[in-house]
Amino acid sequence: MAQCVQSVQEFIQDSFVPMVAVLCSEDAEKVTRKNNLNFSELLRPFCRLTSEGHIRDPSNQVQAVKNLRISVNNVVTRPTPASGALSPAQRRLLSEVVLSNQPPEGGVANVITAGDHDLNFSDRSLKASVPWYSAWRETLLELSTSKHYTATTPWFEAYRENFLQSMPASDHEFLNHYLACLLVVSSSEAVPVEQFLKLSQEQHRIQHSGEYTNPKWFIPNTLKYYVLLHDMSEDEEQRADAVYEDMKQRYGAQGCYLLKVNSRTASAEADEQIPDPWSQYLHRNNIHSQVSSTVLPLHSYNMTITSKSDGGSNNLDSHPLQLDTPTVPGSLDTLSTMASDPKNGSGGPAVGLASHGACLTLNDHDRIRQFIQEFTFRGLLPHIEKNIRQLNDQLVSRKGLSRSLFSATKKWFGGGKVPEKSISELKSTSGLLYPPEAPELQIRKMADLCFLVQHYELAYSCYHTAKKDFLSDQAMLYAAGALEMAAVSAFLQAGAPRPYPAHYMDTAIQTYRDVCKNMVLAERCALLSAEVLKSQGKYSDAATLLIKMTSEDSDLRSALLLEQAAHCFINMRNPMVRKFAFHMILAGHRFSKAAQKRHALRCYCQAMQVYKGKGWSLAEDHINFTIGRQSFTLRQPESAVSAFKQILTNDSQQTATQQGAFLREYLYVYKSVTGESEVDLPELPLPCIQSSATRVYFGHERRLAEGEKQAATHVSLDQEYDQDLAAMWCHLEEQVVAAVNRGVLPGTFQPTQCCLNSQTDNLRFPLAVVEEPIIVEVTFRNPLKVPLVLSDLLLLWTFTARDFSRPQDELEGEAITNEKEVLTLSMAQKDDVITTEVIPEFHMSPEETKVARLKLLPHMTGELKILGMAYNLASPSSPGETAHTTEGQETLESLVVRGRQDLQIRGPRLNNTKEDKTLVRHGPDRRLDPIITPAMPLMEVFFLQFPTALLCGEIRKAYVEFCNVSCVALCGLRVTSTHPDFFTFGGQSTTPLTPLSPTSAENCSAYKTLATPPGAQPGSAATVMLVSAEDFGQVSGVVEIPVEGGTLRPGESIQLPLWLRGPDQEGVHEINFLFYYESTEKGGKMSHRVLRHTVFICASRSLSVRASACRSNVPPDQSQEEETSSSMMVFIDVENINTSEAGVREFHIVQVSSSSRHWWLHKCINPTKDKDCKLTSRERAKLCFRATRCKPYQATSDALQKYTFADLNLGNERIISSTTPCGDFFFRCCRTSESRVAVPSSSSHGRSHGSMPARGATDIMTIVKKCNELDLDIIVLWKAYVVEDNKQLILEGQLHVALQTIGKEACTLTQKEEAQEMVLLKFKSEAPPPVIQPSVEQLSYLIKTNLQYPETYSHPFVHKSLCVVPVTLTLSNCSLAQVDVIIDLRHKSTSLESLEVHSSFTWLGQTQYKLQLKPQEMLCLALRACFLQTGVYNLNTPRVFAKPVNLGAMCETSQQMASPALIIINNA
C-alpha cells in the first residue's frame, strides 16, 4: 500500500481515542466566538498530550499511557440512520474529501523504480527512488531494517480518516461512546454556579431520560468536568478567581478548572503575528458540518446544544469554508468554492476573511494546553482507571472466579477448547441485543476501556473472552467486533508476545459482510487489517484482502481499495509490475464510475507507463482512449489530443469499426481544441508521413509526345532512382563541363540534380529557377482500416527575397510565410511571391500508401524553406451514419478539422571524425531549402523518325528539334553520350559538292552516293580521297551541335538531321544522351543546364565479316605497276547471320571501302564478275582484294595524319565513304575500339616507312612489331531488302573490320574480354622484369620470299634424263633493321599434300646460304632445280631462317612461306 505519514500503531491509536462531549453556555460561546471558534474547535489543536500519563490496572500494576489523544466534540442529539451502510450525505462527504485531495504538484518525490520500470505516481512526472528494489536479493532482515520510500496517496488517507470519523456509534461496541462531558460557563455570568447546574441537568436529561438515542455514553456515571472560562480582555480577574475558589469547594479541585483566554484585543492583531494551529483541522473537517443535520459524526465540530432560536450560534459566518446549520438535509451548495479548485489539498491552510485565535496569545495557547493535560491526568484517566476496577470486580463476582481476571487467564484459555463453528453454519443472529447490564457487554466495555488507555494485554484477554461468549450465543455482530479488536490488540502489544491473528480479521470481515450485511464495519476492519499486514511485509495478503472488499455497492470504495492493492503489488520484494498496472486500470475504471475524473485519469496514466512499448497494442489503445476522454472531460484538451494521437499513429490491431470510432472521437476533441484558439495550426497525426521518402523535383513536368515527335525523357517523378545511373549521368556531365572548360573541371562544379530524394547528395542547397515550378512528392500512409479524406491540401513555406545580382553584404528582405493565410482559410495565398497549388480532395483507402504531388511556382529570387503541409482531415461514413462523440452526437459532415504536419527530414549519419563515429550525429538535408535563382534558358528536345529497332550496323537518318521555351537566349549547345558511336550530326566540311545520284534521292538513302561512270567495271579500280580526322568531330567525345549563329533565341526552334548506326552487338541497348547548354547572360548562380534523354534500341543480327591479310606472291619484275612492289592480299569472308526475325529477305554487299594512313584497297580480284554479292539467310561469300601501300606523294608531311579512303563499289553507284555519315561512324567506331583496347605501344597511327628512325636500330621489339602491323580498316557497306506490311523497304548499313596484324584474322563481332586473374600482394621487392623478347610469330614475318620460274617447262627426257630449270629466289627485308638470313635447300616436304601433288626433285649447286640484308633491302638468288620425270612439282621447299643482327643465335626463326609454287614438267 501507499506510504502513510503515521506509523501503523499511531494510525490505530488515533482511530480509537477517548471521546469527550462539550456543553457550553451562551456567554461562554460568545467568548470563544471572538476567535472565530467554538469551544471544541478552540481545544482541538491541543488535544494530543505531550507528556506521558499512568494508570494502575486491577492487579495494581502501573501502565504508561504515551502519546494519548482525546477527541472533544459538541453534543448533537439528532438521530442517525442504521450503521449498516453510509447515507447519501455521507457518501457525498467522502466523495468530496477524495476529490479535494489531488496529487501534489511539487516537493516530494513520487516515482517508484521497479525492475525496468520507472513509475511516476504523479501526473506531474516527479522523481524519486526506491533503494531496496535495486538490492532485492538482500536478506529479509536487511530489508526489514531499511527505510522504505514509496508514493503517497493523501486522498486515500483523507478518505480513511473521514470514513472512520463519520462512522456512527454502535451498540455492540463502546469505543466511540462519550466518557466525559465538559461543562463550560463564562465568568461573566451573574451566577456561574447556577449555569453549571443547568448544564449538568441538561447532560443528565440527554443521557438518562430516554428521549435521545444520540449521543451514546460509555457508562451511566459520566465524568462531569466544570470549566470556568474567563475573558481576560473584559472581565475582572479577581471575580473569576473568587468563583473558581467556590467551584473547588463544590466540585473538588480535580473536577473543575479556570481557563483564562483572550489576553489581547483583536485590534492588536497587526502588531504581532500569532501562529494559527486551527486552520489545518478546520479545513480538513469543515465538510462535516454540511451533513450534521442528518448524520451524527463521531467528531461533530460545529454544533452545540442551544435553543431553536439561536441554533446557528456556533457557526462562523466569516469563514468561507464554514457552513451555517443547513435547513435542507445534505445540502452541498457551499461546496462549489472548494470543488471548483480541487488542487487545494488537505495540508493547505484555510483562507478566510478573519484568522483564528486573533485574541489569543502564546500564553493563552500554553494555558489551553495545560488545561487539556490537567483534565486528562486529574480527571479522565483516574475516571477510566476507577471504572476498569469496578468492571473487573463485577465480572469476577458474577463469574464466581478468582478476584483477579489475570489469574484466571490460563484457566479460561488453556485446554478444553471447543471447536468454533464456521460462518456458514451459524444462523444469522445479528439482530440479537444484550441488555446494558449483561456480563458479556461488561466484558466488552472493560476491554474497550483498556484499549483506549493502551493496556493492550488486558484488552486482548477481555476481547478473547467476550468473543467466546458471543460465539456461544451466536451473536455474530458482537462476535465479529470482539474478533476485530482482539486481533488489533494482539498486534499492538509491546514485544509481540503472540503473532498477529490474521484469521481473526478474516473471520470478522466475512461476518460483517456476509452475515451482518454491514459493509461499513467490514470496510473498517479491512482497512485496519491491510495496514497491519503491510507493516509486516505481507503485501500479497494485504492485496488479496483489499480486492475481496471491492463490490458494486460503492465505486469510490472499490476504486480506492483497488488502487491500494496495486500499490501492494508494486511494493513487494519482487515487484509485480503487470499486476500493479492491471489493478490501476481497474481502479481507474471505478474512479470514473464514481465521478472522480482526475483520479481516474491519474490511474490510467500510471498504468500506461507499464503497458507502453510492450507490444500490447489493444491494451494501449484502451488506455489511451480512456485517457483522452477523461482529459477532455477535465478540460485538458492538449492531453486528450495527445492520447488520441497515440491511438491513431500506432499500428493498431483494432477492427475497422473501432478504429472509426477512435477517429471520430479524435476529430471531435481536436475540433473542440482548435475552435477555442486560432493562434496556429496544430499538428495532425493522420495520415502518417514518410518524411525520408519525400522527393523534390525542380522544373516543368515532361511533355508527352506530340504526334510523330518524341520528347526527351529527361527526369521525372515517375522514374525510380538508380545509384549507378546517377553516377553515369554525373560522369557525362563532368565530361562535357570539362570539355567546355578546356579539359579542366571547375572547383565549384556541382552536378545537376533535378530530382532529390533520400539517396541523393542533399548537403548543398539545391538551385531552382524563378518562374519554374517546384514539385514536392509526399508519401502518405493510412495506418487505419478506415478510409481517410483530405481536402485543401497545400504546402507551407517561408520565403526570404534576395537579389543575387547585388553584393552579399546588403540586407536581405523580411521572411514571408503563408501560414497565416492557410490558418484563416484565406484564398489570397501570396500568389505575387509564390503560387501555391491546392489539391481540393485527396482520398486514401484503408491501409493505403499513396503519394501526393504539391506544386509551388516562385515569382521572385531568394531563399525558400518548405516547412510542411496543411490540410483538412475528415473520415467518410456510410449514408445515415452518425458519430457518437464525447459530448453527444454530431453528423460526420461537420467533423472536418484543419491542421498541419511538418516535414522533418533527418540527414545521413556522419562518419568522418572520431566523434562522429562514437556519437550518433546526422548531417543536414537541404532538399526542402532551395535557392531561387534568376531566370535561365529552358530547352526542350524532340526526336522525329527515331527508330526503336535496328540491324547491327544499320544506318538510319532521323531529325532532332531543339526548342527554347524560356525568355532567355541559350548558347553553347553540346551533347555527349554513353555510346558516341551510335549517332552523328555530321558537318559542313564533309558534305560532297558533287550531285547525288537519282537512286539515292529516290530511295532516301542516308549516304552520299555518286553514279558509276558508264562502262566502268565494278571493283576494277578504287576511288581514293584524303580526309583528316578533325573534320569529323572532337576527340573528347563531346559533340558541338551545329546551331546557326551559335545562339537559340527565346521561343526559337531548330531542326537538325541525326544519323544513327545500329550497335555492333545484338540485344537491347540503353543509350543515354546528355544535352548541355548555357545562358547568354553569364555570372549567375547556375552556370549551365542539362537535359537527359534515354532510348532503348533493339539490335538484330545482320552480317558477320571476317578479314585477313597476307603478303602478295607477285614477283617484282612481272609487275607493271609500282604499287605492287609492296602489295597485300586481303580476304573478306561475309556471312548472313540474320535469323529473319526482322523480315530481312536478303543482303547485298554493295561496296567495300578502306581507310588507312598507309594502305588502300587497290582492286577487287574476285574471279566472278557479278555486280554485287547477294546473301540470303545463312549464306556466305568470300571476297579477295589487293591492297597496296600509299603512293609517295600521299605520304608527304602534310598528309601524314590524314586518312586515305578507297572505295571499291560492287554495284551501280558509289557511296562516298569519306563523308557523312559513313566517315563519321568510321572514326567514332575507331575511337571507341581504341579506347577499349589500352595498348599504348601498339598504336598503328603515326608510323613512317620512309626512313629508319634514329632509335629504330636499338628498339628491336618495336621494329619487329611494326614489321607485322598492317593498320588497314575495312568498311563493308550493305543493303538489306525487308518486307514489312506487304511493302519492300531497303535498309542500309556498314560494318567495320580493323586489320592490325598480317596473318591474323579480324572479325566484326568483338570478342569477350577475359577477366584478369587476381594478383596476390607481395611484400618482398620484386626482381627486375625480364627483357621482353619478340615472339616467334612476330619474328616469322621479317623476310618475304618469292620464287620466279616458268609455270610450264618442256624437256625431252628421252634424249636427256635430267631436266634442270633455273629458279630465282627473291628475298625482301620487311623490317627496319639489319637481318641475318640462312637459306637451307636441303629441306624435303613430308606433308601428305605435297606427296599427292608432286614427285620428288632436288636442288643443284650450293644448298645452304648465309646472308645479311639491310633494312628493306631486296636480294635475288639464282637457283637450279633438277627433275627426273614429268609431273607437277612444288618448288616452295626452301627453308628461310632470319633474326635481327642484335639478337642471339637462338632467336633464328623460320619465316612464313608463300602459297605453293607449282611447276608443270612436260616431255618434249
Side-chain angles (χ1 to χ4, degrees):
M1 292 177 64
Q3 177 188 353
C4 301
V5 179
Q6 297 175 311
S7 66
V8 183
Q9 289 79 5
E10 293 174 346
F11 160 67
I12 297 178
Q13 288 177 8
D14 287 350
S15 300
F16 304 100
V17 296
M19 304 287 291
V20 178
V22 173
L23 284 177
C24 290
S25 65
E26 293 183 16
D27 291 343
E29 195 67 31
K30 291 178 182 178
V31 172
T32 58
R33 183 59 61 88
K34 292 182 179 180
N35 298 286
N36 292 328
L37 300 167
N38 59 30
F39 188 77
S40 62
E41 292 171 347
L42 180 70
L43 302 182
R44 188 162 300 120
F46 311 100
C47 285
R48 185 176 297 278
L49 302 181
T50 57
S51 57
E52 186 177 295
H54 300 85
I55 64 169
R56 290 184 178 272
D57 60 17
S59 61
N60 211 26
Q61 297 294 325
V62 177
Q63 296 291 331
V65 181
K66 302 177 181 178
N67 199 27
L68 180 64
R69 186 178 72 88
I70 63 174
S71 178
V72 181
N73 304 286
N74 292 331
V75 174
V76 178
T77 58
R78 292 184 177 87
T80 59
S83 61
L86 296 177
S87 65
Q90 288 175 312
R91 290 178 183 271
R92 286 194 297 270
L93 163 68
L94 295 177
S95 180
E96 292 296 335
V97 167
V98 175
L99 185 64
S100 63
N101 284 271
Q102 296 297 328
E105 296 187 8
V108 297
N110 239 359
V111 172
I112 281 186
T113 299
D116 296 332
H117 303 274
D118 291 329
L119 305 177
N120 296 319
F121 285 91
S122 167
D123 50 3
R124 303 298 177 187
S125 300
L126 302 174
K127 298 293 180 182
S129 62
V130 184
W132 76 89
Y133 282 128
S134 60
W136 63 273
R137 294 182 179 89
E138 295 180 2
T139 61
L140 181 61
L141 177 61
E142 293 172 342
L143 181 62
S144 61
T145 57
S146 65
K147 187 177 182 181
H148 293 186
Y149 295 94
T150 182
T152 59
T153 51
W155 51 91
F156 172 71
E157 297 176 27
Y159 169 85
R160 188 178 57 188
E161 179 181 355
N162 284 271
F163 170 78
L164 294 176
Q165 291 177 359
S166 62
M167 289 187 65
S170 176
D171 292 332
H172 79 285
E173 61 182 10
F174 305 94
L175 292 169
N176 50 2
H177 291 197
Y178 286 108
L179 278 168
C181 183
L182 297 178
L183 306 178
V184 184
V185 174
S186 174
S187 61
S188 60
E189 295 278 355
V191 185
V193 176
E194 293 183 1
Q195 195 64 31
F196 278 126
L197 182 58
K198 289 181 180 180
L199 293 178
S200 177
Q201 293 174 353
E202 181 68 19
Q203 187 277 331
H204 187 272
R205 184 177 64 84
I206 292 174
Q207 180 177 359
H208 298 288
S209 65
E211 299 177 9
Y212 305 100
T213 57
N214 287 314
K216 296 186 181 296
W217 304 91
F218 205 107
I219 51 179
N221 186 19
T222 301
L223 173 65
K224 298 178 183 178
Y225 197 82
Y226 302 89
V227 180
L228 181 63
L229 189 62
H230 175 64
D231 190 345
M232 299 283 291
S233 61
E234 294 183 359
D235 301 330
E236 296 180 0
E237 189 173 354
Q238 291 84 359
R239 183 175 183 275
D241 293 338
V243 174
Y244 179 58
E245 289 297 330
D246 183 43
M247 291 171 58
K248 287 194 289 184
Q249 295 295 330
R250 287 177 177 270
Y251 311 118
Q254 298 180 354
C256 58
Y257 193 85
L258 172 61
L259 178 60
K260 299 178 180 179
V261 294
N262 297 348
S263 297
R264 66 170 186 169
T265 59
S267 60
E269 180 180 359
D271 300 333
E272 183 181 2
Q273 293 295 331
I274 301 298
D276 184 5
W278 295 271
S279 299
Q280 54 181 333
Y281 295 95
L282 298 180
H283 178 74
R284 184 169 55 188
N285 299 295
N286 60 1
I287 307 176
H288 288 276
S289 61
Q290 62 191 295
V291 295
S292 58
S293 61
T294 57
V295 181
L296 178 63
L298 294 180
H299 310 284
S300 181
Y301 300 141
N302 300 328
M303 300 301 295
T304 186
I305 300 300
T306 56
S307 62
K308 293 183 180 181
S309 61
D310 56 355
S313 61
N314 286 345
N315 294 302
L316 308 180
D317 296 335
S318 61
H319 197 285
L321 296 180
Q322 294 288 335
L323 302 174
D324 292 332
T325 303
T327 57
V328 180
S331 175
L332 298 176
D333 297 336
T334 57
L335 284 175
S336 58
T337 304
M338 187 176 69
S340 62
D341 188 12
K343 295 182 180 179
N344 291 334
S346 60
V351 179
L353 299 177
S355 61
H356 306 104
C359 299
L360 302 177
T361 62
L362 294 179
N363 290 331
D364 292 334
H365 294 184
D366 294 337
R367 293 189 186 99
I368 299 173
R369 190 175 294 109
Q370 182 65 29
F371 160 68
I372 294 296
Q373 189 166 345
E374 286 291 326
F375 164 70
T376 305
F377 290 163
R378 301 181 64 180
L380 184 61
L381 289 182
H383 177 71
I384 295 175
E385 178 182 339
K386 180 182 69 173
N387 281 277
I388 290 176
R389 287 182 178 273
Q390 292 177 357
L391 289 172
N392 181 63
D393 294 342
Q394 293 176 13
L395 291 174
V396 169
S397 62
R398 290 185 182 183
K399 293 281 185 180
L401 301 176
S402 58
R403 295 285 302 172
S404 176
L405 189 63
F406 294 106
S407 61
T409 302
K410 224 179 244 188
K411 184 175 180 180
W412 288 352
F413 305 131
K417 182 176 181 181
V418 179
E420 301 175 358
K421 296 181 180 179
S422 65
I423 297 300
S424 60
E425 296 174 354
L426 297 175
K427 60 182 179 180
S428 177
T429 55
S430 57
L432 177 64
L433 294 177
Y434 289 97
E437 64 278 0
E440 292 83 1
L441 290 186
Q442 302 303 318
I443 298 177
R444 173 60 196 254
K445 190 175 295 185
M446 178 179 173
D448 288 344
L449 283 175
C450 293
F451 187 89
L452 292 175
V453 293
Q454 304 176 9
H455 197 338
Y456 300 118
E457 184 176 358
L458 182 56
Y460 176 79
S461 300
C462 295
Y463 284 133
H464 199 280
T465 303
K467 180 258 301 184
K468 296 181 67 175
D469 293 341
F470 293 140
L471 285 176
S472 63
D473 295 337
Q474 294 188 6
M476 301 312 299
L477 179 63
Y478 295 89
L483 284 169
E484 174 187 4
M485 298 311 298
V488 174
S489 300
F491 171 74
L492 292 177
Q493 289 185 39
R498 56 180 59 86
Y500 170 67
H503 61 286
Y504 280 13
M505 279 294 194
D506 296 338
T507 305
I509 294 173
Q510 189 175 3
T511 304
Y512 281 142
R513 184 183 59 196
D514 299 336
V515 179
C516 304
K517 308 300 181 182
N518 193 321
M519 288 301 297
V520 175
L521 294 175
E523 182 179 352
R524 183 188 71 177
C525 190
L527 293 176
L528 297 175
S529 181
E531 287 293 335
V532 173
L533 293 173
K534 183 193 72 170
S535 68
Q536 295 178 345
K538 299 177 181 179
Y539 290 101
S540 179
D541 296 340
T544 303
L545 175 63
L546 293 171
I547 294 172
K548 286 182 178 180
M549 283 302 300
T550 59
S551 60
E552 293 299 325
D553 62 329
S554 174
D555 290 317
L556 180 62
R557 180 186 71 240
S558 300
L560 290 168
L561 297 185
L562 285 170
E563 181 183 12
Q564 294 305 308
H567 281 274
C568 289
F569 288 124
I570 203 67
N571 280 285
M572 295 175 67
R573 185 176 181 85
N574 293 326
M576 305 177 74
V577 182
R578 288 194 297 271
K579 278 198 171 186
F580 159 79
F582 179 72
H583 286 85
M584 288 301 287
I585 293 293
L586 297 178
H589 175 67
R590 300 304 291 270
F591 270 129
S592 179
K593 293 178 66 177
Q596 299 284 341
K597 304 297 183 182
R598 287 187 179 274
H599 288 292
L601 176 61
R602 174 185 50 77
C603 290
Y604 276 101
C605 290
Q606 291 175 6
M608 188 62 189
Q609 300 172 69
V610 177
Y611 287 107
K612 188 176 183 180
K614 299 300 185 297
W616 295 4
S617 60
L618 297 179
E620 285 189 56
D621 291 345
H622 168 75
I623 296 172
N624 278 316
F625 182 74
T626 308
I627 290 176
R629 278 199 163 186
Q630 299 291 358
S631 300
F632 182 79
T633 305
L634 294 172
R635 300 186 181 276
Q636 298 177 7
E638 293 80 8
S639 301
V641 170
S642 177
F644 281 114
K645 184 178 179 180
Q646 293 295 326
I647 304 177
L648 300 177
T649 54
N650 294 335
D651 292 333
S652 175
Q653 298 180 6
Q654 302 283 355
T655 61
T657 305
Q658 191 63 45
Q659 288 182 355
F662 287 162
L663 178 59
R664 289 190 292 271
E665 288 281 349
Y666 171 76
L667 293 177
Y668 182 84
V669 172
Y670 186 93
K671 189 173 183 181
S672 302
V673 174
T674 55
E676 298 174 357
S677 61
E678 292 287 347
V679 179
D680 53 0
L681 283 175
E683 193 88 5
L684 285 175
L686 289 176
C688 300
I689 294 181
Q690 300 174 1
S691 296
S692 61
T694 301
R695 298 196 297 170
V696 185
Y697 179 79
F698 301 99
H700 294 278
E701 294 186 83
R702 185 172 70 92
R703 292 170 59 181
L704 301 177
E706 299 178 358
E708 296 182 354
K709 292 183 179 181
Q710 177 185 352
T713 56
H714 195 45
V715 183
S716 69
L717 288 169
D718 298 325
Q719 301 171 357
E720 293 186 2
Y721 181 80
D722 187 293
Q723 192 75 33
D724 297 333
L725 280 178
M728 181 270 300
W729 288 116
C730 181
H731 173 71
L732 288 179
E733 188 173 356
E734 290 177 356
Q735 182 180 346
V736 68
V737 171
V740 172
N741 292 275
R742 301 178 181 178
V744 179
L745 194 66
T748 59
F749 169 74
Q750 181 178 348
T752 303
Q753 296 185 123
C754 297
C755 185
L756 300 179
N757 53 43
S758 58
Q759 302 179 35
T760 55
D761 182 11
N762 304 323
L763 295 178
R764 299 186 182 95
F765 292 98
L767 300 178
V769 181
V770 68
E771 300 298 339
E772 291 189 16
I774 301 172
I775 303 175
V776 181
E777 182 186 87
V778 184
T779 302
F780 292 99
R781 182 178 66 88
N782 181 9
L784 303 181
K785 299 174 184 176
V786 295
L788 296 177
V789 176
L790 309 183
S791 59
D792 296 336
L793 183 63
L794 54 84
L795 289 174
L796 299 174
W797 47 262
T798 59
F799 178 77
T800 304
R802 282 187 58 183
D803 188 355
F804 295 104
S805 61
R806 297 182 180 180
Q808 295 290 334
D809 54 357
E810 291 192 11
L811 294 177
E812 301 177 358
E814 295 183 358
I816 306 172
T817 181
N818 68 334
E819 293 179 279
K820 292 183 179 179
E821 287 76 8
V822 172
L823 178 64
T824 58
L825 298 178
S826 173
M827 297 307 294
Q829 298 290 341
K830 298 189 182 299
D831 289 342
D832 55 337
V833 179
I834 294 178
T835 300
T836 306
E837 182 189 26
V838 180
I839 299 179
E841 283 192 356
F842 187 78
H843 295 266
M844 296 193 69
S845 302
E847 298 180 338
E848 180 188 13
T849 299
K850 191 175 181 181
V851 298
R853 293 177 181 174
L854 303 160
K855 187 182 296 184
L856 298 176
L857 184 63
H859 304 293
M860 300 173 62
T861 61
E863 298 174 355
L864 176 65
K865 292 185 182 297
I866 300 173
L867 306 176
M869 65 209 73
Y871 55 91
N872 296 328
L873 175 62
S875 175
S877 62
S878 58
E881 183 182 359
T882 56
H884 298 273
T885 59
T886 306
E887 293 296 329
Q889 295 185 352
E890 187 174 349
T891 58
L892 276 177
E893 283 71 15
S894 62
L895 284 181
V896 178
V897 297
R898 187 160 187 83
R900 65 182 291 170
Q901 283 204 59
D902 294 333
L903 290 173
Q904 298 176 351
I905 304 177
R906 187 173 64 178
R909 180 174 177 179
L910 301 178
N911 198 27
N912 300 325
T913 63
K914 183 179 180 180
E915 293 183 353
D916 293 341
K917 295 177 181 179
T918 55
L919 302 175
V920 179
R921 293 182 177 179
H922 294 269
D925 191 306
R926 297 191 171 97
R927 74 182 91 163
L928 296 176
D929 304 332
I931 295 176
I932 312 300
T933 63
M936 284 287 291
L938 182 63
M939 182 180 69
E940 290 185 352
V941 179
F942 298 95
F943 297 87
L944 289 83
Q945 303 176 11
F946 203 92
T948 58
L950 292 172
L951 295 175
C952 291
E954 180 187 349
I955 303 297
R956 190 76 64 89
K957 187 177 182 180
Y959 294 91
V960 185
E961 184 177 344
F962 300 96
C963 304
N964 185 358
V965 297
S966 66
C967 58
V968 181
L970 64 87
C971 62
L973 186 57
R974 292 172 174 83
V975 64
T976 186
S977 175
T978 53
H979 295 69
D981 55 344
F982 173 69
F983 71 98
T984 178
F985 282 94
Q988 300 296 329
S989 60
T990 61
T991 303
L993 301 177
T994 53
L996 301 179
S997 63
T999 311
S1000 174
E1002 180 182 347
N1003 295 332
C1004 298
S1005 174
Y1007 290 112
K1008 306 295 188 297
T1009 59
L1010 291 175
T1012 305
Q1017 186 69 26
S1020 59
T1023 305
V1024 181
M1025 291 188 67
L1026 281 177
V1027 177
S1028 176
E1030 284 72 15
D1031 297 337
F1032 291 90
Q1034 294 81 358
V1035 182
S1036 63
V1038 178
V1039 180
E1040 292 189 13
I1041 299 176
V1043 178
E1044 185 178 357
T1047 303
L1048 201 61
R1049 290 186 292 274
E1052 205 172 59
S1053 63
I1054 184 174
Q1055 193 175 95
L1056 298 176
L1058 178 70
W1059 288 270
L1060 309 174
R1061 180 177 178 270
D1064 288 322
Q1065 292 185 350
E1066 67 170 332
V1068 179
H1069 298 263
E1070 180 181 347
I1071 301 173
N1072 302 288
F1073 296 90
L1074 184 73
F1075 296 93
Y1076 169 97
Y1077 57 96
E1078 302 173 354
S1079 173
T1080 55
E1081 302 174 2
K1082 307 297 181 182
K1085 294 185 73 66
M1086 192 179 293
S1087 61
H1088 66 276
R1089 302 190 83 171
V1090 295
L1091 180 68
R1092 302 174 183 177
H1093 180 58
T1094 301
V1095 294
F1096 292 90
I1097 299 296
C1098 181
S1100 303
R1101 289 186 288 181
S1102 57
L1103 298 177
S1104 172
V1105 180
R1106 297 178 181 270
S1108 61
C1110 63
R1111 291 193 173 92
S1112 176
N1113 248 356
V1114 179
D1117 56 349
Q1118 295 181 6
S1119 175
Q1120 297 179 357
E1121 300 179 6
E1122 56 181 299
E1123 293 90 346
T1124 59
S1125 61
S1126 58
S1127 63
M1128 197 75 63
M1129 300 299 294
V1130 178
F1131 300 94
I1132 299 176
D1133 192 352
V1134 183
E1135 182 184 1
N1136 181 0
I1137 59 174
N1138 184 265
T1139 57
S1140 301
E1141 294 176 358
V1144 179
R1145 190 176 66 185
E1146 61 183 9
F1147 284 90
H1148 288 215
I1149 309 300
V1150 296
Q1151 181 172 311
V1152 178
S1153 302
S1154 69
S1155 173
S1156 175
R1157 290 190 178 97
H1158 315 293
W1159 298 86
W1160 59 287
L1161 291 181
H1162 179 61
K1163 62 186 295 186
C1164 178
I1165 57 176
N1166 268 22
T1168 59
K1169 302 301 180 181
D1170 295 339
K1171 291 185 178 181
D1172 55 8
C1173 182
K1174 299 180 182 179
L1175 298 175
T1176 59
S1177 179
R1178 310 308 295 179
E1179 286 189 341
R1180 189 170 182 174
K1182 193 161 189 174
L1183 304 177
C1184 182
F1185 300 89
R1186 176 177 292 167
T1188 59
R1189 196 176 292 278
C1190 297
K1191 295 179 180 181
Y1193 71 88
Q1194 291 176 335
T1196 58
S1197 60
D1198 295 338
L1200 285 179
Q1201 299 299 325
K1202 290 192 175 183
Y1203 288 79
T1204 300
F1205 279 81
D1207 300 332
L1208 285 171
N1209 61 307
L1210 306 179
N1212 296 327
E1213 55 186 11
R1214 180 172 68 88
I1215 297 175
I1216 307 174
S1217 61
S1218 60
T1219 60
T1220 298
C1222 185
D1224 295 81
F1225 287 118
F1226 164 73
F1227 282 107
R1228 289 178 180 273
C1229 293
C1230 287
R1231 290 197 192 98
T1232 306
S1233 61
E1234 289 173 8
S1235 63
R1236 291 174 183 171
V1237 182
V1239 184
S1241 62
S1242 63
S1243 176
S1244 62
H1245 305 310
R1247 296 197 304 269
S1248 175
H1249 292 270
S1251 62
M1252 178 180 176
R1255 51 177 296 193
T1258 58
D1259 196 352
I1260 302 300
M1261 185 67 190
T1262 304
I1263 293 172
V1264 172
K1265 290 178 64 178
K1266 287 184 178 181
C1267 177
N1268 300 324
E1269 289 180 353
L1270 183 61
D1271 185 23
L1272 177 63
D1273 294 301
I1274 305 298
I1275 305 173
V1276 178
L1277 294 101
W1278 50 263
K1279 288 186 178 181
Y1281 293 87
V1282 180
V1283 178
E1284 183 179 330
D1285 297 334
N1286 296 326
K1287 294 181 181 180
Q1288 178 172 306
L1289 303 177
I1290 300 177
L1291 306 180
E1292 301 172 302
Q1294 65 188 56
L1295 298 173
H1296 309 122
V1297 180
L1299 285 172
Q1300 301 293 336
T1301 308
I1302 298 173
K1304 190 173 183 179
E1305 189 179 58
C1307 181
T1308 53
L1309 296 177
T1310 53
Q1311 304 297 321
K1312 293 183 179 180
E1313 298 181 0
E1314 297 182 359
Q1316 297 181 356
E1317 295 184 0
M1318 183 180 296
V1319 180
L1320 298 178
L1321 294 176
K1322 296 180 180 180
F1323 298 96
K1324 296 182 179 180
S1325 60
E1326 297 183 358
V1331 179
I1332 301 176
Q1333 299 292 339
S1335 64
V1336 175
E1337 183 182 1
Q1338 292 172 339
L1339 292 174
S1340 65
Y1341 289 101
L1342 293 176
I1343 301 299
K1344 174 185 176 183
T1345 62
N1346 192 18
L1347 290 172
Q1348 299 180 20
Y1349 57 92
E1351 294 182 2
T1352 304
Y1353 190 83
S1354 299
H1355 176 73
F1357 284 96
V1358 178
H1359 303 288
K1360 193 175 182 180
S1361 60
L1362 295 177
C1363 175
V1364 179
V1365 179
V1367 178
T1368 302
L1369 175 62
T1370 304
L1371 303 174
S1372 300
N1373 185 359
C1374 298
S1375 70
L1376 300 178
Q1378 284 187 340
V1379 177
D1380 291 333
V1381 181
I1382 298 175
I1383 304 171
D1384 186 5
L1385 300 178
R1386 296 172 297 175
H1387 172 66
K1388 299 295 183 181
S1389 178
T1390 57
S1391 65
L1392 296 177
E1393 295 180 359
S1394 300
L1395 294 176
E1396 291 173 358
V1397 172
H1398 57 80
S1399 302
S1400 178
F1401 73 98
T1402 185
W1403 295 97
L1404 299 179
Q1406 185 179 351
T1407 58
Q1408 190 169 1
Y1409 298 85
K1410 186 174 183 181
L1411 306 172
Q1412 190 174 79
L1413 296 181
K1414 295 179 181 180
Q1416 296 186 342
E1417 181 184 358
M1418 184 182 295
L1419 181 65
C1420 295
L1421 288 178
L1423 305 177
R1424 290 184 301 167
C1426 179
F1427 302 92
L1428 298 179
Q1429 59 184 0
T1430 60
V1432 179
Y1433 297 87
N1434 181 15
L1435 297 178
N1436 198 1
T1437 60
R1439 297 182 66 187
V1440 180
F1441 298 91
K1443 74 174 183 65
V1445 175
N1446 296 335
L1447 294 183
M1450 300 302 294
C1451 292
E1452 292 178 350
T1453 308
S1454 175
Q1455 300 301 293
Q1456 294 283 344
M1457 302 303 289
S1459 56
L1462 302 180
I1463 185 172
I1464 302 174
I1465 304 298
N1466 297 321
N1467 191 3

